[in-house]
Amino acid sequence: VTYEAMLGNRKVAVKEFYNRGCMYRQGNRVVLTNEEDQQEFEKAKQKFVEEARRLSKFASQPNVVRVYGYFEANTVYIIMEFLDGPGLNEYFRKKGRVEAAEMFGMLLPVMRTLDKIHESGIIHRDISPDNIKFAQNDASGTGLKLMDFGSARDYLNRNTYTMELKDGYAPLEQYSEHEQGPWTDVYALSAVIYRGITGQRPMRSVRRAEHDDLRMPSQLGIPIPPVIEEILKRGLSIRKENRYQKMASMIKDVEKFSGGM
């Protein structure tokens, strides 16, 4: 649950650790439906706190939502930057399609920040146009920020989770028990790029696994340099081992055609 709040004279977003499926409110307290889940609840709370602690280290990064702090009060709350700019989904609806090089250029700063976050052991696992917003940045003007790390998890110790997946943006391994890692975010971000370039959301990865007839931009009659399309195609590979294993590898290829921007 996310609330709009004030921290001094600054508007912030406060994210509460709360799951309607196994909790309910009793006055100001959050109570578990089943008391036997208390031990698991405490473990999950600590993971939520650890996630906030790790993300707060990236407060200086311009392309990720800033975490100001966290506190416990029966459950746990994370205090984050409030982003009220339009999301990429709204931008896509208004613009229609974005030229390929421009699309990669827009998301390259986000890719660089994601690479640093991956190095700390965190993967986002829920990247979509809904979770990337425009925000005013003092250093570079209007930029994009990656937000909603509520689904981010520590992949160093545990690799499988149950979560609500977004059709078209979740890779195949998120529908199964296969290992997840930076390559999981590579697929999702590539799917966002595909949406921007083609104006279409990619088909579900589980459907592609049965019969992969996802058409690349050139097959849709959209002008795109072969070298850029090859990067997109690799990022959208159904089999995770065929994808870029690290965001840094994808960034390196993007920078080759973008002149190191």
Side-chain angles (χ1 to χ4, degrees):
V1 181
T2 304
Y3 305 91
E4 183 179 322
M6 296 299 294
L7 181 63
N9 59 357
R10 174 189 292 158
K11 185 184 291 187
V12 296
V14 179
K15 179 164 288 190
E16 178 188 41
F17 180 71
Y18 184 81
N19 186 330
R20 293 180 179 85
C22 58
M23 305 172 190
Y24 65 94
R25 300 192 189 279
Q26 192 175 75
N28 292 327
R29 297 184 66 246
V30 171
V31 182
L32 296 178
T33 305
N34 186 348
E35 293 183 0
E36 295 177 0
D37 293 333
Q38 186 65 41
Q39 188 173 356
E40 288 302 314
F41 173 65
E42 294 300 329
K43 288 181 181 179
K45 274 204 312 183
Q46 289 311 306
K47 279 189 173 290
F48 196 72
V49 168
E50 178 59 27
E51 179 179 309
R53 186 180 296 118
R54 288 190 181 186
L55 289 175
S56 65
K57 295 177 182 178
F58 297 95
S60 62
Q61 293 296 322
N63 299 104
V64 64
V65 65
R66 184 171 299 181
V67 173
Y68 296 118
Y70 56 90
F71 62 93
E72 292 191 51
N74 185 215
T75 183
V76 184
Y77 300 84
I78 299 178
I79 308 169
M80 302 180 297
E81 176 182 11
F82 183 85
L83 299 178
D84 56 359
L88 265 187
N89 52 350
E90 183 179 340
Y91 178 78
F92 289 156
R93 282 196 296 269
K94 290 181 178 179
K95 193 172 180 69
R97 290 193 290 106
V98 182
E99 194 270 326
E102 180 186 350
M103 191 69 248
F104 272 95
M106 285 174 62
L107 286 175
L108 185 55
V110 175
M111 293 165 64
R112 289 175 178 144
T113 296
L114 258 178
D115 183 49
K116 293 177 182 178
I117 292 173
H118 289 162
E119 287 178 355
S120 76
I122 295 176
I123 53 173
H124 190 286
R125 298 178 63 258
D126 194 26
I127 297 172
S128 71
D130 294 334
N131 289 336
I132 302 176
K133 280 194 169 187
F134 287 93
Q136 215 43 48
N137 181 282
D138 293 338
S140 59
T142 301
L144 289 171
K145 289 204 174 193
L146 184 62
M147 57 178 288
D148 200 0
F149 277 77
S151 300
R153 294 293 181 267
D154 178 354
Y155 75 85
L156 298 178
N157 301 314
R158 186 179 177 191
N159 293 310
T160 57
Y161 299 88
T162 300
M163 61 175 286
E164 185 178 341
L165 302 176
K166 292 179 180 173
D167 286 348
Y169 301 100
L172 189 61
E173 63 266 22
Q174 286 191 269
Y175 290 90
S176 64
E177 296 299 313
H178 291 112
E179 184 182 10
Q180 297 174 39
W183 52 86
T184 304
D185 285 347
V186 164
Y187 184 97
L189 196 67
S190 297
V192 172
I193 292 171
Y194 181 94
R195 166 67 181 85
I197 294 173
T198 66
Q200 303 175 15
R201 183 175 62 180
M203 67 178 66
R204 294 181 72 196
S205 56
V206 286
R207 179 182 166 191
R208 290 184 62 201
E210 296 172 356
H211 181 65
D212 190 5
D213 53 1
L214 179 68
R215 301 172 69 191
M216 287 291 108
S218 62
Q219 295 173 303
L220 295 170
I222 298 170
I224 181 172
V227 63
I228 300 181
E229 187 166 70
E230 189 56 39
I231 294 172
L232 180 62
K233 187 175 181 180
R234 183 175 176 184
L236 284 171
S237 295
I238 282 293
R239 296 179 65 87
K240 59 184 178 67
E241 57 268 26
N242 294 335
R243 262 177 255 148
Y244 292 101
Q245 295 301 289
K246 294 183 177 180
M247 193 65 71
S249 301
M250 187 174 183
I251 292 170
K252 186 177 180 180
D253 281 353
V254 172
E255 288 178 337
K256 286 179 182 176
F257 78 77
S258 62
M261 62 186 293

